Amino acid sequence: MSLLEMRGIEKRFGDVRALADVDFELEAGEIHALLGVNGAGKSTLIKILSGVYSKDRGSIRIAGDEIALGAPRAAIEAGIAVVQQHPELVGDLTGAENIFLGQEHARAGLFSPVNARDIRSRAARLLDRFPIDIDLDRRVEDMPAVDREIVAILHALRLDSARILILDEPTSTLTEREKESLFGMMRTLRAQGLAIIYITHHLDEVFEIADRFTVFRGGRRVAMHGVAEARQAAISIPNLMLDSVAGEVFPPRPTHAAGDIVFEARGLTRQGDFQDVSFAARRGEILGIFGLVGSGLDELSKALFGALRPDSGSLHLHGQQVAFRSPAQALKAGVFLVPGDRRTEGLSMQENVIFNTTLANLGRASLGGFLRFGRNRRDAAALAARVDLQPRKLDRPLRGYSGGNQQKVVIAKGLYREADVYIFVEPTVGVDIGARAKIYALMRELSEKAAVIVMSSDCNEVFGIADRTVALYKGAPIGVPSRDTTRDHLLHAGIMGEAV
């Protein structure tokens, strides 16, 4: 008997059938990957399981007992713990304090004192239960990303009743070394008998950490395989997800020569972040910059966009030296940044598609201080079609869209701006394979008329999309490999800091 059995689950939102007769099983002591493109139905299934949505039809059993999950509290009482993709933690509190946030009092009562010693004692007992190497007396804001993710997981597991853990894209912002630390914790939890549902867009991770995987497409479960079985049979997960033989995710490189230099950095240095960075970005090609998290990649992107001031070196746009003192100046000059953290730096999550799309070019979106509502709606609709936004609901707030579709809106902003230089930072974090292919195609389209720079900690992404590449290691550029460089050359330069 499976720990979790979901049978015949159906869910509709108006005329849209999000789930159709879905079955799903989960065993105790199993890591089960849940896969599918954005909109395939996996998020809806998880929200039903976590009590956020109510199912329309079907049954849910845990350890053989049928349960009704009509609210998040009912899910928690049933032993289901959820860690969202962007867990909310309080930075100036310790790890232990974050774990027991809301349960600080040793005794019930509004005016019961908070006992710091008791919190540490409970945290120690939790680590006895799940032996993990982490300093929970450290403030969360001082922790590396993987430790913050572990704190969020321990917060979800703080109740002894937890039997099922749902992890939503937990590795999206982790380095390779941090990812291994997280996987070590997941194996520890599995050994304790915990069942883990693991949602990821990084398909290579499925074969590294999961025992089984289930694929959703169009609101239906289309496949469920054991990882060992899938590896032996050479089953293609992308083909299952896309209902077709997955073609090349990256668009073909141009055969014509690149055009003139549009944007150039010469000896750009910012103490503690990056040093002596030089490159030339040309119209008609894509320049790729690969660097691990902490390599200075994010700081360099902000310096190129005027959000950070370099200590020395210079920037040149169309051959003229420029010094951006703010992002507004960079935008006005024709430089557009698609930031790595789209939720906090690229979008207004409470506002709709029209507002977000036109935000980067208010001169075009308004006349005499008044917004052009009709024209802006038409422009937003055309851009939504161009980036293949799904669903194409212009009045929906951005928080209601998937990560991939949020990224498409950021790109639509750039298209509306009609810039001369586009800088993409971590452009496909949390984005499924179908949306990635569309985003890469848009990058290639933009490169025909503008200079495009892609900066990413995903070596496969940089190598696959770029015509020329640079590696950034601890803030220092490592060579400028030629077109004949291999992925392994680029990876070695970014990880070891050595040109091959």
Side-chain angles (χ1 to χ4, degrees):
M1 180 177 63
S2 299
L3 173 62
L4 170 69
E5 294 181 347
M6 303 178 77
R7 302 294 181 199
I9 303 297
E10 296 198 3
K11 181 64 180 178
R12 282 185 175 272
F13 297 97
D15 295 332
V16 177
R17 186 163 63 173
L19 292 175
D21 194 27
V22 168
D23 293 343
F24 179 73
E25 306 87 32
L26 181 68
E27 304 292 337
E30 172 189 31
I31 298 176
H32 196 130
L34 202 58
L35 310 173
V37 301
N38 294 120
K42 59 186 186 299
S43 295
T44 302
L45 185 82
I46 290 306
K47 287 180 179 177
I48 289 173
L49 187 57
S50 58
V52 176
Y53 292 159
S54 296
K55 60 183 173 24
D56 295 333
R57 291 184 58 187
S59 65
I60 302 174
R61 294 180 179 273
I62 294 182
D65 297 325
E66 186 163 352
I67 58 173
L69 299 174
R73 178 166 292 278
I76 292 171
E77 291 173 351
I80 300 168
V82 184
V83 179
Q84 302 294 345
Q85 182 177 358
H86 302 283
E88 299 291 339
L89 299 174
V90 182
D92 58 356
L93 295 182
T94 67
E97 290 166 340
N98 270 275
I99 290 171
F100 296 104
L101 200 61
Q103 294 184 330
E104 300 91 342
H105 305 288
R107 300 188 305 274
L110 181 62
F111 300 105
S112 298
V114 175
N115 189 325
R117 181 179 297 177
D118 178 70
I119 289 175
R120 287 196 296 272
S121 176
R122 283 188 283 166
R125 289 198 298 272
L126 192 61
L127 291 183
D128 286 339
R129 181 181 168 201
F130 303 116
I132 299 154
D133 184 17
I134 184 173
D135 181 6
L136 294 179
D137 289 327
R138 191 176 182 184
R139 291 196 308 174
V140 162
E141 65 184 6
D142 298 327
M143 289 182 173
V146 66
D147 284 2
R148 293 195 294 270
E149 188 72 31
I150 289 172
V151 167
I153 292 172
L154 290 174
H155 173 78
L157 297 178
R158 67 194 186 279
L159 301 178
D160 292 337
S161 59
R163 294 182 285 180
I164 297 170
L165 175 65
I166 301 171
L167 298 179
D168 187 3
E169 293 286 348
T171 65
S172 60
T173 60
L174 302 186
T175 66
E176 286 298 314
R177 183 174 297 176
E178 289 176 328
K179 184 177 74 174
E180 282 306 313
S181 296
L182 178 65
F183 284 176
M185 178 186 186
M186 291 170 64
R187 294 183 183 104
T188 297
L189 298 178
R190 177 174 59 188
Q192 297 287 329
L194 201 73
I196 300 175
I197 299 175
Y198 178 57
I199 303 170
T200 182
H201 289 308
H202 296 283
L203 303 185
D204 56 322
E205 295 177 1
V206 175
F207 292 93
E208 187 175 353
I209 189 63
D211 300 298
R212 290 193 293 170
F213 64 84
T214 292
V215 179
F216 279 76
R217 187 177 66 239
R220 296 180 180 275
R221 187 183 88 166
V222 296
M224 191 282 292
H225 295 284
V227 166
E229 164 206 348
R231 183 183 289 111
Q232 184 175 6
I235 291 173
S236 169
I237 296 177
N239 290 352
L240 292 172
M241 291 169 61
L242 298 174
D243 192 24
S244 62
V245 175
E248 179 59 53
V249 174
F250 301 104
R253 292 183 172 91
T255 56
H256 57 78
D260 297 335
I261 295 174
V262 179
F263 196 46
E264 188 176 7
R266 299 178 186 172
L268 215 61
T269 296
R270 178 179 167 88
Q271 191 65 36
D273 292 329
F274 51 84
Q275 56 272 354
D276 199 25
V277 174
S278 298
F279 63 78
R282 298 173 179 270
R283 182 179 287 107
E285 71 172 8
I286 296 175
L287 173 67
I289 304 179
F290 164 63
L292 300 178
V293 175
S295 65
L297 211 64
D298 187 61
E299 292 82 3
L300 176 60
S301 72
K302 288 179 168 60
L304 298 177
F305 192 56
L308 290 178
R309 195 82 57 86
D311 299 323
S312 60
S314 60
L315 290 174
H316 300 258
L317 184 63
H318 299 298
Q320 300 296 316
Q321 186 169 338
V322 291
F324 303 136
R325 297 183 179 276
S326 68
Q329 285 189 358
L331 273 174
K332 187 176 181 180
V335 179
F336 186 86
L337 174 70
V338 178
D341 188 348
R342 57 180 171 260
R343 293 171 61 89
T344 60
E345 298 176 344
L347 297 168
S348 177
M349 301 301 294
Q350 309 303 317
E351 300 293 343
N352 64 19
V353 173
I354 301 171
F355 177 91
N356 277 279
T357 301
T358 58
L359 186 62
N361 197 346
L362 292 178
R364 178 177 171 184
S366 61
L367 179 64
F370 295 95
L371 291 174
R372 298 173 165 180
F373 291 104
R375 176 177 171 176
N376 292 348
R377 177 173 285 275
R378 290 192 297 273
D379 287 346
L383 289 167
R386 189 173 171 187
V387 302
D388 192 27
L389 184 68
Q390 298 293 336
R392 213 160 292 166
K393 296 185 177 181
L394 303 182
D395 295 311
R396 173 183 285 189
L398 263 293
R399 66 175 183 271
Y401 278 91
S402 67
N405 282 291
Q406 290 170 5
Q407 189 74 331
K408 290 177 183 178
V409 174
V410 181
I411 295 172
K413 283 175 61 179
L415 295 172
Y416 188 71
R417 183 70 201 187
E418 297 179 335
D420 294 322
V421 180
Y422 289 92
I423 304 167
F424 291 85
V425 183
E426 305 287 8
T428 59
V429 168
V431 176
D432 67 62
I433 188 171
R436 284 206 308 269
K438 180 63 180 180
I439 289 170
Y440 294 144
L442 286 167
M443 289 178 181
R444 183 57 68 184
E445 179 185 336
L446 286 170
S447 72
E448 295 174 4
K449 296 182 179 180
V452 174
I453 303 171
V454 177
M455 309 173 72
S456 175
S457 58
D458 184 338
C459 186
N460 291 326
E461 178 168 75
V462 174
F463 183 74
I465 190 62
D467 302 300
R468 289 186 300 111
T469 55
V470 178
L472 199 65
Y473 176 77
K474 295 184 178 180
I478 308 300
V480 183
S482 69
R483 287 176 180 264
D484 297 327
T485 190
T486 67
R487 173 194 171 278
D488 288 343
H489 289 158
L490 183 62
L491 186 64
H492 186 87
I495 291 179
M496 304 299 294
E498 300 171 354
V500 179

